[in-house]
């Protein structure tokens, strides 16, 4: 039996269905992200686990305990809210001690645990401060310490980094991962930021319209998305309308925009499909040598890499190229492009071109 | 599970609701009913129901004049509050924080000081031997005192003083939500300060001006202390008339009828004004 | 930030004169050594302040006003805080009607409220009693308390309460330790504004007092309508100074702009 088992969880509001038939198991110590665009039901799922929303049907079992009849305050989960939800009238220390106080933990014990938690998030020197006198990153750590100090069986993080600026967010990602591993706490993260989910989690659960679409490690999800929606949501990609002509055990043949292209073997019937090709998998070369011709329409310098927009017979393609400190093709120049057939992802055609 | 959830808001607001039911709704209904009773000098209030009081008020040019005067005073007061309050609110918003907090005390502070005391100040200023007349005479601008006390003009001056903080608050609330860089943008596009004010600031202040005008108008139309002190028996308005009917003539039913008419006209004006605002501004400034 | 030009500052100066002038005149007049109103006073004398002490009428009335303000502001706060919690955070049918009812004393002309209260209290035979005054004042000032408490209730991040619940706090603990302290500024601000409003109230009160429960504004009013003498100016000066002191206190701890205009930056 897994540590956390969510079975067929469903939540209907009067007119909409927020979460439908959502099942997920999480092992002890694992870090799992619920990833999806806003309105995909990820926050509602979190609220149901936390006990702030009642499921319409389905069950949540944590460490063998069915949470259904247990009120939020008795679930003993650590929650970090998007707004941090620090108690503005209490000092950092008082904020962190609150949960221990509710558990009736005696003063000396309490002080020691608070000190340890603040040490873990490296805020011991600010123990007497009020939240309003702190930066966003520091408040975030207080919220984390407050949630962790009660030694929760499960830590729930609701978009914890969305209120931080880009640079700080990256730092906090590393920090969050370190703290989670040091505390060894099973963690569920809700986020709409794919890079955050990929950086932090052991596994990612991608949600769309209240349903679980794909579950897997960040690498697998990125490399073998099950739909164009997921492939678009996790990183950039070139999506091309294609027709699958034939597929064998080792390879397949497709026609894109009248051009025949080979791809990997795929478990789909011949007909209309979508072909997805990641920009970083396309290489720009100078020799023609049977490669596809392309013309540079635009290029953007991003520091560590270049982003090209190319016009080809297949259609317009985005190409990302690592900056190697050399001259790169300029707009108007003709170049050639090449990719490995197995990097072409063949996905079922979807009506919605996400 | 369900019913206690539904009961909670009513339990919470129950005490306030009972208080308002017993002390506001019931008395208002009683007053409404009182306005249909009749009164005789010897018999007092008679428990009959007639439209007599309303016929008396609506058929008498004496009362017409009082109602007309009341609403004219309220209207002119409102106009002055807009003309003075809107620029002042804008000036306040552009002040540096320290100067602004001091000026706010000066501008809003009087709101908290008793209306009787503020009106006393105006009585001293406006009297025939008052400060303004003495000053004008010593400057040789006039030879004999100008009558200001016991005139509608004097009442308007004092009412503007009493009501203008409400206008400033309303305009302030509308303007502080604005993005000040819009004014800088207009300036960078070549707009003069006057143009910036009329084309950029004023339209954004409009919802505040409209709601402020409504507050000022309805409070002025029902003001009592200021017209009672500065107008006395000579310049009567609706509220002072009601006061006299109740506490001097003791004709409560007639006083109640006048009061009901005042309430009705204020409500009609408020509702139609609100409808006008909603029509013009729905969604635009959300 | 665009700053104010020369004409704006001139306008502001004249406006300040307009706002402060009448109050300065009252204060100035009260220091006159003569027996009549003169401004500027020909000398500085405290004789009219000493005269207040010989007029127990005013002192008694001031006590009534003080007690009335405290009692009615407290009654109003006790009923308005739970009502604000219901209106501010629960969804229920009748919510908007209830809010309109609680704010209605702001729209009904005060003179109408005055005669309505007079009618009720005379039926209940409570006319002129202190209890009657307290209850009627509570009605008039509840909108002020409700508005300020409501704005702090609505402005509160509800996930703060959820955080407390998730840490194991019971409903009562959440209210006592989290909700109450966070809406306290609204409650205190509302109480103070209610107190001042009650302390200054004239129009309603004038209908429902009797000689033993006469409040300070009513006393001043009936005095002014008969005669204006330096005594009335000195009493008014005391009222002004008392209000200004209270105002500075609020400004220090709560912010006058917040009190009168709701949440501002």
């Amino acid at each position: 039996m897994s540590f956390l088992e969510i079975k067929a969880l469903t939540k209907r509001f009067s007119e909409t269905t927020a979460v439908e038939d959502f099942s997920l198991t999480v092992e002890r110590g694992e870090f799992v992200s619920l990833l999806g665009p806003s309105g995909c039901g990820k926050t509602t799922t979190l609220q149901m686990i936390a006990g702030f929303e009642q499921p319409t049907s389905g069950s949540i079992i944590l460490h063998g305990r069915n949470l259904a009849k247990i009120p939020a305050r008795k679930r003993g989960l650590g929650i970090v809210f998007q707004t941090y939800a620090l108690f503005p009238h209490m000092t950092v220390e008082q904020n962190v001690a609150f949960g221990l106080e509710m558990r009736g933990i005696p003063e000396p014990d309490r002080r020691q645990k608070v000190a340890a938690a603040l040490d873990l998030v490296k805020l011991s020197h600010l123990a007497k401060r009020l939240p309003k006198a702190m930066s966003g990153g520091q408040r975030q750590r207080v919220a984390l310490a407050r949630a962790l100090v009660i030694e929760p069986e499960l830590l729930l993080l609701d978009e914890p980094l969305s209120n931080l600026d880009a640079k700080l967010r990256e730092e906090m990602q590393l920090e969050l991962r370190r703290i989670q591993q040091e505390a060894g706490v099973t963690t569920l993260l809700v986020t709409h930021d794919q890079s955050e989910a990929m950086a932090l989690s052991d596994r990612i659960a991608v949600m769309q319209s209240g349903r679980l679409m794909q579950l897997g490690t960040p690498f697998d999800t990125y490399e073998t998305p099950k739909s164009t929606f997921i492939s678009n949501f996790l990183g950039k990609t070139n999506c091309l309308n294609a027709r699958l002509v034939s597929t064998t055990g080792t390879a397949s043949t497709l026609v894109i925009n009248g051009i025949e292209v080979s791809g990997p073997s795929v478990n789909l019937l011949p007909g209309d499909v979508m072909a997805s090709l990641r920009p970083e998998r396309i290489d720009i070369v100078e020799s023609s040598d049977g490669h596809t011709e392309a013309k540079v329409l635009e290029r953007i310098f991003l520091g560590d890499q270049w982003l090209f927009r190319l016009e080809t017979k297949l259609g317009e393609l985005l190409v990302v190229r690592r900056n190697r400190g050399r001259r790169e093709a300029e707009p108007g120049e003709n170049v050639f492009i090449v990719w490995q057939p197995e990097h072409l992802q063949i996905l079922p055609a979807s009506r919605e071109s996400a | 599970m369900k019913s206690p959830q539904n009961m909670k808001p009513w339990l919470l607001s129950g005490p306030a609701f009972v208080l308002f039911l017993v002390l506001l709704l019931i008395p208002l209904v009683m007053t409404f009913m009182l306005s249909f009773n009749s009164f005789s000098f010897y018999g007092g209030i008679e428990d009959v129901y007639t439209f007599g009081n309303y016929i008396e008020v609506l058929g008498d040019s004496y009362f017409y004049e009082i109602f007309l005067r009341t609403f004219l005073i309220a209207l002119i007061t409102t106009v002055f509050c807009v003309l003075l309050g809107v620029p002042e609110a804008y000036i306040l918003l552009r002040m540096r924080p320290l100067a602004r907090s001091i000026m706010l005390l000066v501008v809003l502070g009087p709101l908290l000081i008793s209306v009787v005391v503020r009106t006393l100040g105006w009585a001293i200023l406006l009297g025939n031997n008052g400060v303004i007349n003495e000053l004008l005479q010593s400057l040789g601008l006039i030879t004999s005192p100008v009558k200001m006390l016991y005139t509608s003009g004097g009442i308007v001056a004092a009412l503007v003083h009493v009501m203008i903080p409400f206008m400033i608050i309303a305009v302030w609330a509308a303007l502080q939500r604005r993005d000040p860089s819009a004014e800088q943008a207009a300036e960078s596009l070549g707009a003069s300060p006057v143009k910036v004010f009329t084309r950029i600031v004023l339209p954004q202040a409009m919802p505040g001006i409209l709601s402020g005008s409504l507050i000022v108008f309805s409070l002025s139309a029902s003001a009592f202390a200021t017209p009672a002190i500065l107008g006395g028996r000579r310049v009567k308005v609706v509220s002072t008339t009601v006061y006299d009917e109740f506490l001097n003539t003791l004709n409560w039913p007639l006083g109640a009828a006048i009061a009901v008419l005042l309430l009705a006209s204020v409500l009609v004006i408020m509702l139609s004004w609100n409808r006008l605002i909603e029509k013009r501004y729905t969604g635009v400034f959300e | 930030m665009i700053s104010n030009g020369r004409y704006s500052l001139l306008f502001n100066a004249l406006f300040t004169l307009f706002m402060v002038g009448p109050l300065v005149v009252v204060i100035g007049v009260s220091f006159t050594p003569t027996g009549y109103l003169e401004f500027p006073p020909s000398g500085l004398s405290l004789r009219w302040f000493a005269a207040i002490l010989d007029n127990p009428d005013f002192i008694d009335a001031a006590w009534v006003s003080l007690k009335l303000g405290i009692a009615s502001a407290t009654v109003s706060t006790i009923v308005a805080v739970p009502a604000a919690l219901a209106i501010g955070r629960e969804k229920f049918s009748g919510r908007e009607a209830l809010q309109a009812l609680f704010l209605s004393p702001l729209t009904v002309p005060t003179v109408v409220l005055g005669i309505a209260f007079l009618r009720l209290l005379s039926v209940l035979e409570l006319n002129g009693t202190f209890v009657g005054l307290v209850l009627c004042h509570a009605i008039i000032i509840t909108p002020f308390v409700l508005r300020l408490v409501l704005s702090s209730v609505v402005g509160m991040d509800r996930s703060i309460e959820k955080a407390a619940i998730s840490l194991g706090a019971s409903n009562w603990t959440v209210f006592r330790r989290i909700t109450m302290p966070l809406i306290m500024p609204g409650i205190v601000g509302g109480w103070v504004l209610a107190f001042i409003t009650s302390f200054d109230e004239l129009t309603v009160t004038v209908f429902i007092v009797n000689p033993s429960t006469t409040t300070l504004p009513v006393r001043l009013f009936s005095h002014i309508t008969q005669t204006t003498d330096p005594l009335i100016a000195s009493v008014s000066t005391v009222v002004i100074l008392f209000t200004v002191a209270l105002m500075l206190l609020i400004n220090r701890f709560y912010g006058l702009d917040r009190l009168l205009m709701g949440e501002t930056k």
Side-chain angles (χ1 to χ4, degrees):
Chain A
M1 194 161 174
S2 294
F3 190 66
L4 171 67
E5 286 191 34
I6 300 171
K7 283 187 215 148
L9 198 63
T10 299
K11 176 68 183 179
R12 287 196 191 89
F13 293 108
S14 53
E15 292 185 353
T16 52
T17 301
V19 178
E20 185 144 32
D21 196 22
F22 179 89
S23 297
L24 176 72
T25 59
V26 179
E27 298 306 325
R28 173 169 256 168
E30 207 182 4
F31 195 127
V32 174
S33 294
L34 300 184
L35 174 67
S38 60
C40 74
K42 56 187 194 300
T43 300
T44 310
T45 306
L46 187 93
Q47 295 273 328
M48 287 190 282
I49 299 170
F52 297 126
E53 291 283 358
Q54 294 302 315
T56 310
S57 64
S59 64
I60 303 163
I61 293 160
L62 178 66
H63 206 180
R65 262 191 322 158
N66 188 338
L67 296 185
K69 294 268 181 284
I70 303 176
R73 66 188 177 91
K74 297 234 166 104
R75 293 191 181 190
L77 310 182
I79 305 176
V80 175
F81 293 83
Q82 186 172 9
T83 54
Y84 312 142
L86 297 180
F87 309 133
H89 55 303
M90 300 185 191
T91 63
V92 167
E93 217 169 35
Q94 289 166 337
N95 263 280
V96 177
F98 189 85
L100 300 172
E101 212 181 307
M102 295 301 117
R103 282 163 178 70
I105 289 167
E107 175 70 32
D109 245 14
R110 210 192 297 167
R111 207 175 307 140
Q112 188 202 328
K113 281 177 191 248
V114 169
L118 288 178
D119 201 39
L120 180 69
V121 298
K122 298 180 182 155
L123 278 182
S124 309
H125 58 298
L126 298 179
K128 306 281 183 212
R129 282 253 182 115
L130 282 174
K132 66 173 174 224
M134 304 181 89
S135 71
Q138 289 169 337
R139 286 184 212 183
Q140 160 81 71
R141 288 161 198 250
V142 177
L144 206 54
R146 185 179 67 181
L148 286 173
V149 78
I150 59 169
E151 291 164 24
E153 291 191 300
L154 182 64
L155 178 65
L156 301 175
L157 306 173
D158 184 8
E159 305 264 8
L161 305 178
S162 62
N163 282 335
L164 302 178
D165 62 54
K167 199 166 157 54
L168 197 54
R169 199 175 324 161
E170 238 164 66
E171 280 173 31
M172 275 309 293
Q173 283 177 4
L174 295 170
E175 191 66 6
L176 197 57
R177 185 72 193 172
R178 174 189 69 80
I179 293 168
Q180 189 262 340
Q181 278 170 351
E182 260 178 58
V185 61
T186 313
T187 305
L188 211 55
L189 167 77
V190 157
T191 183
H192 67 273
D193 180 346
Q194 45 100 10
S195 65
E196 189 174 304
M198 287 197 283
L200 290 170
S201 2
D202 298 316
R203 283 189 300 151
I204 294 180
V206 186
M207 291 183 75
Q208 187 192 8
S209 318
R211 289 173 172 277
L212 178 64
M213 305 306 284
Q214 185 165 1
L215 178 67
T217 65
F219 183 79
D220 288 346
T221 317
Y222 185 83
E223 287 301 321
T224 52
K226 284 186 184 161
S227 70
T228 50
F229 166 77
I230 296 170
S231 133
N232 266 306
F233 198 74
L234 283 114
K236 283 194 201 65
T237 193
N238 294 294
C239 269
L240 303 163
N241 287 309
R243 193 161 49 79
L244 184 62
V245 180
S246 65
T247 176
T248 67
T250 51
S252 61
T253 308
L254 299 128
V255 174
I256 302 172
N257 218 3
I259 314 281
E260 206 177 274
V261 179
S262 45
S265 159
V266 66
N267 194 12
L268 286 171
L269 291 174
D272 286 344
V273 292
M274 287 297 271
S276 156
L277 188 56
R278 297 253 181 225
E280 73 272 19
R281 294 291 145 74
I282 305 174
D283 205 11
I284 297 177
V285 290
E286 273 149 32
S287 68
S288 59
D289 202 19
H291 300 319
T292 311
E293 252 182 273
K295 186 179 169 193
V296 179
L297 292 175
E298 245 183 299
R299 64 169 197 188
I300 297 170
F301 181 54
L302 298 169
D304 56 340
Q305 55 190 19
W306 292 88
L307 179 66
F308 291 90
R309 194 159 64 86
L310 304 177
E311 192 184 335
T312 74
K313 281 180 279 180
L314 300 176
E316 266 187 31
L317 291 179
L318 289 179
V319 174
V320 169
R321 198 165 158 78
R322 195 163 60 82
N323 174 18
R324 282 162 294 189
R326 288 193 227 129
R327 199 198 79 91
E328 297 288 342
E330 284 175 39
E333 255 182 73
N334 286 315
V335 292
F336 297 94
I337 52 170
V338 63
W339 64 88
Q340 304 294 317
E342 66 265 29
H343 286 153
L344 202 66
Q345 298 159 356
I346 303 167
L347 303 165
S350 60
R351 260 153 276 122
E352 48 199 316
S353 51
Chain B
M1 189 70 211
K2 201 132 194 185
S3 73
Q5 282 293 332
N6 292 342
M7 285 300 291
K8 193 177 164 197
W10 288 101
L11 285 176
L12 285 172
S13 40
F17 181 71
V18 170
L19 192 71
F20 272 68
L21 181 72
V22 176
L23 282 141
L24 185 67
L25 292 181
I26 292 177
L28 283 176
V29 170
M30 287 168 73
T31 307
F32 185 66
M33 282 161 58
L34 178 68
S35 71
F36 292 101
N37 290 162
S38 72
F39 173 82
S40 72
F41 193 71
Y42 298 104
I45 299 166
E46 283 161 22
D47 200 9
V48 292
Y49 291 91
T50 113
F51 284 99
N53 299 312
Y54 289 96
I55 292 165
E56 187 180 342
V57 175
L58 295 172
D60 191 337
S61 66
Y62 170 75
F63 289 112
Y64 265 14
E65 205 181 295
I66 287 174
F67 268 90
L68 190 67
R69 181 185 299 123
T70 304
F71 287 116
L72 262 178
I73 287 176
L75 185 68
I76 297 169
T77 302
T78 311
V79 170
F80 273 105
C81 281
V82 171
L83 293 180
L84 298 177
V86 176
E88 181 60 22
Y90 183 54
I91 291 169
L92 280 176
L93 272 162
R94 298 202 307 180
M95 282 184 170
R96 272 183 281 275
L98 181 67
R100 181 163 64 196
S101 55
I102 294 169
M103 275 311 295
L104 276 177
L105 277 178
V106 171
V107 170
L108 302 183
L111 201 57
L112 299 178
I113 293 171
S114 168
V115 179
V116 181
V117 172
R118 282 184 277 166
T119 306
L120 172 68
W122 283 98
I124 298 171
L125 281 170
L126 299 174
N128 277 354
N129 300 314
V131 178
I132 293 178
N133 269 321
E134 300 266 316
L135 186 73
L136 291 177
Q137 275 173 307
S138 66
L139 289 173
L141 291 172
I142 51 171
T143 46
S144 60
V146 176
K147 186 174 166 7
M148 289 182 285
L149 199 58
Y150 307 119
T151 64
S152 297
I155 295 175
V156 168
L159 276 179
V160 171
H161 183 253
V162 171
M163 300 298 169
I164 206 161
F166 294 107
M167 179 63 76
I168 291 177
I169 289 173
V171 174
W172 173 289
L175 279 184
Q176 68 148 359
R177 269 179 270 145
R178 88 203 193 285
D179 178 3
S181 48
E183 287 141 54
Q184 289 172 336
E187 212 181 355
S188 75
L189 294 169
S192 64
V194 174
K195 274 270 182 291
V196 169
F197 184 75
T198 53
R199 295 286 303 278
I200 311 295
V201 178
L202 213 51
Q204 297 187 80
M206 214 52 198
I209 297 174
L210 293 177
S211 65
S213 301
L214 182 59
I215 297 169
V216 169
F217 182 87
S218 60
L219 287 180
S220 304
S222 51
F224 170 74
T226 304
I229 293 170
L230 297 180
R233 293 274 151 68
R234 276 162 272 191
V235 188
K236 277 181 124 181
V237 294
V238 178
S239 10
T240 51
T241 311
V242 173
Y243 175 80
D244 282 343
E245 291 301 334
F246 264 80
L247 298 185
N248 293 325
T249 323
L250 296 181
N251 188 344
W252 285 21
L254 182 65
I258 300 171
V260 167
L261 286 174
L262 175 66
L263 175 62
S265 40
V266 167
L267 285 182
V268 165
I269 290 167
M270 278 189 129
L271 290 177
S272 35
W273 191 249
N274 264 335
R275 170 129 338 151
L276 186 83
I277 295 175
E278 267 167 28
K279 249 192 204 147
R280 289 198 53 182
Y281 288 98
T282 308
V284 181
F285 288 95
E286 290 307 304
Chain C
M1 183 113 200
I2 308 172
S3 56
N4 288 304
R6 196 180 310 160
Y7 294 108
S8 300
L9 292 177
L10 179 67
F11 181 92
N12 186 55
L14 291 174
F15 188 84
T16 307
L17 183 68
F18 172 72
M19 289 311 289
V20 178
L23 299 172
V24 170
V25 165
V26 171
I27 296 173
V29 162
S30 68
F31 286 99
T32 183
T34 64
Y36 50 91
L37 296 170
E38 51 158 14
F39 188 88
S42 50
L44 279 182
S45 150
L46 293 177
R47 82 174 252 220
W48 291 106
F49 289 93
I52 300 174
L53 299 176
D54 302 328
N55 280 277
D57 279 9
F58 283 111
I59 293 169
D60 291 347
W63 275 117
V64 172
S65 282
L66 201 64
K67 283 188 278 187
L68 176 59
I70 291 171
S72 58
T74 307
V75 169
S76 162
T77 306
I78 289 170
V79 299
V81 169
L85 285 171
I87 291 170
R89 49 173 49 178
E90 310 282 338
K91 286 190 187 118
F92 60 103
S93 52
R95 183 178 148 270
E96 277 170 17
L98 213 52
Q99 183 175 358
L101 172 67
F102 294 151
L103 294 179
S104 65
L106 293 177
T107 33
V108 179
T110 32
V111 68
V112 177
L113 290 175
I115 61 170
F117 291 149
L118 170 60
R119 182 74 180 136
L120 180 81
L121 294 185
S122 41
V123 169
L124 297 177
E125 293 184 352
L126 280 173
N127 201 13
T129 62
F130 188 69
V131 175
L133 278 176
V134 170
L135 290 174
C136 294
H137 271 220
I139 293 284
I140 313 168
I141 62 188
T142 293
F144 298 99
V145 187
L146 188 79
R147 273 210 300 216
L148 286 189
V149 178
L150 204 52
S151 93
S152 58
V153 167
V154 173
M156 193 181 144
D157 177 5
R158 292 207 75 181
S159 57
I160 294 176
E161 289 172 322
K162 284 185 178 174
I165 294 169
S166 79
L167 293 168
S170 64
N171 288 345
W172 173 240
T173 308
V174 172
F175 181 73
R176 196 172 49 87
R177 296 279 307 272
I178 310 294
T179 317
M180 263 288 266
L182 291 185
I183 62 173
M184 207 32 128
I187 298 176
V188 173
W191 190 93
V192 172
L193 191 55
F195 170 80
I196 295 175
T197 309
S198 161
F199 189 83
D200 290 344
E201 214 301 319
L202 170 73
T203 315
V204 164
T205 319
V206 88
F207 286 95
I208 53 174
V209 289
N210 70 12
S212 72
T213 53
T214 294
T215 65
L216 191 56
V218 174
R219 192 78 207 83
L220 282 170
F221 175 72
S222 48
H223 196 102
I224 292 173
T225 46
Q226 282 148 26
T227 168
T228 43
D229 55 16
L231 176 63
I232 201 80
S234 64
V235 176
S236 296
T237 300
V238 174
V239 172
I240 293 173
L241 296 180
F242 174 71
T243 315
V244 169
L246 209 57
M247 209 153 73
L248 292 175
L249 206 67
I250 306 165
N251 201 36
R252 176 83 182 70
F253 291 105
Y254 189 81
L256 195 63
D257 46 348
R258 244 173 99 202
L259 184 75
L260 296 171
M261 314 201 266
E263 297 298 322
T264 61
K265 264 173 261 168

